[in-house]
Amino acid sequence: TQLLEQSPQFLSIQEGENLTVYCNSSSVFSSLQWYRQEPGEGPVLLVTVVTGGEVKKLKRLTFQFGDARKDSSLHITAAQPGDTGLYLCAGAATGGSEKLVFGKGMKLTVNP
Amino acid sequence: DAGVTQSPTHLIKTRGQQVTLRCSPKSGHDTVSWYQQALGQGPQFIFQYYEEEERQRGNFPDRFSGHQFPNYSSELNVNALLLGDSALYLCASTRRGGSYGYTFGSGTRLTVV
């Protein structure tokens, strides 16, 4: 059974602070996807990383895929209240399967 | 361009009843997956449909069944509802063989009383 562990699970910070969310597994994934979910809505895809060691930047968000494709991180620079939400990482299993295994998520609150 | 559409948005059912949830995928997508998200948890994979057949299934009992229609829309059926089936049910679509990443609907909030 493939599992993804996210840490921290909860984070409350002030506007302007930086933060990093970690997503770890003992399993190898063909790709790692990060989603953001707001209350009452479905997850919205932020980024997909597919190559070990890959780094992708999306404005103030930096995503990294571990060399062994077992872990990933999301770094947010100068957080803003609009970044508040549930951040989920999801792995697609090796072998071409498109089933996603989700972590429990990190609930981020950015206070003005 | 409409994304993934799910109906209904909210539903209250009594224990033991049956429920059908519906999903229309994003235009151009042919693969539909269903997820269950309990409060405070990440989504859990129920099953995936492609070419009108169930292609993969997660660790859910046979009370959970589905269907995909020729227009790629899909239904999720749950029989003999239990209190523990209360959750947000998410439909996600993608194009098989396309770039990675799913488009999710806003979900159906099911409450079993």
Side-chain angles (χ1 to χ4, degrees):
Chain A
T1 302
Q2 295 177 307
L3 294 173
L4 278 169
E5 301 283 344
Q6 284 190 245
S7 61
Q9 292 187 30
F10 301 92
L11 192 59
S12 180
I13 60 174
Q14 294 300 121
E15 182 176 0
E17 291 187 35
N18 303 330
L19 67 121
T20 301
V21 188
Y22 298 94
C23 178
N24 297 299
S25 175
S26 58
S27 303
V28 176
F29 291 97
S30 63
S31 73
L32 219 297
Q33 302 169 22
W34 285 91
Y35 292 83
R36 179 165 158 261
Q37 185 178 22
E38 299 196 34
E41 298 293 327
V44 175
L45 179 67
L46 297 174
V47 78
T48 301
V49 284
V50 298
T51 305
E54 181 177 5
V55 177
K56 280 192 174 179
K57 291 191 175 183
L58 185 66
K59 296 183 181 179
R60 295 176 293 100
L61 277 60
T62 302
F63 305 85
Q64 186 163 11
F65 201 10
D67 290 340
R69 292 187 293 135
K70 292 182 178 181
D71 54 84
S72 181
S73 64
L74 158 60
H75 182 79
I76 301 179
T77 303
Q80 300 176 359
D83 296 328
T84 294
L86 180 69
Y87 288 81
L88 294 157
C89 66
T94 56
S97 164
E98 294 182 3
K99 161 189 168 181
L100 293 178
V101 174
F102 279 88
K104 287 186 176 181
M106 185 213 58
K107 185 172 171 59
L108 173 66
T109 302
V110 182
N111 303 298
Chain B
D1 181 22
V4 176
T5 305
Q6 290 188 245
S7 63
T9 55
H10 295 84
L11 204 51
I12 299 175
K13 287 287 190 178
T14 303
R15 192 170 44 182
Q17 285 189 313
Q18 177 264 344
V19 68
T20 297
L21 310 182
R22 296 177 175 81
C23 171
S24 292
K26 182 178 178 179
S27 177
H29 287 182
D30 55 10
T31 301
V32 173
S33 296
W34 287 91
Y35 290 81
Q36 181 196 66
Q37 186 174 24
L39 205 59
Q41 303 291 319
Q44 285 203 318
F45 177 76
I46 302 175
F47 41 54
Q48 180 187 86
Y49 278 84
Y50 171 67
E51 290 185 334
E52 302 179 48
E53 289 189 15
E54 183 182 295
R55 299 292 177 169
Q56 275 196 299
R57 189 178 184 91
N59 190 25
F60 280 80
D62 291 344
R63 299 187 295 109
F64 289 77
S65 63
H67 189 78
Q68 186 180 35
F69 300 93
N71 67 352
Y72 308 121
S73 66
S74 177
E75 287 182 351
L76 163 65
N77 301 294
V78 186
N79 293 324
L81 285 166
L82 303 173
L83 296 180
D85 295 331
S86 295
L88 180 67
Y89 288 84
L90 295 164
C91 172
S93 71
T94 190
R95 182 169 59 87
R96 186 164 289 268
S99 60
Y100 293 95
Y102 280 86
T103 301
F104 280 82
S106 296
T108 295
R109 171 69 64 186
L110 172 65
T111 303
V112 182
V113 297

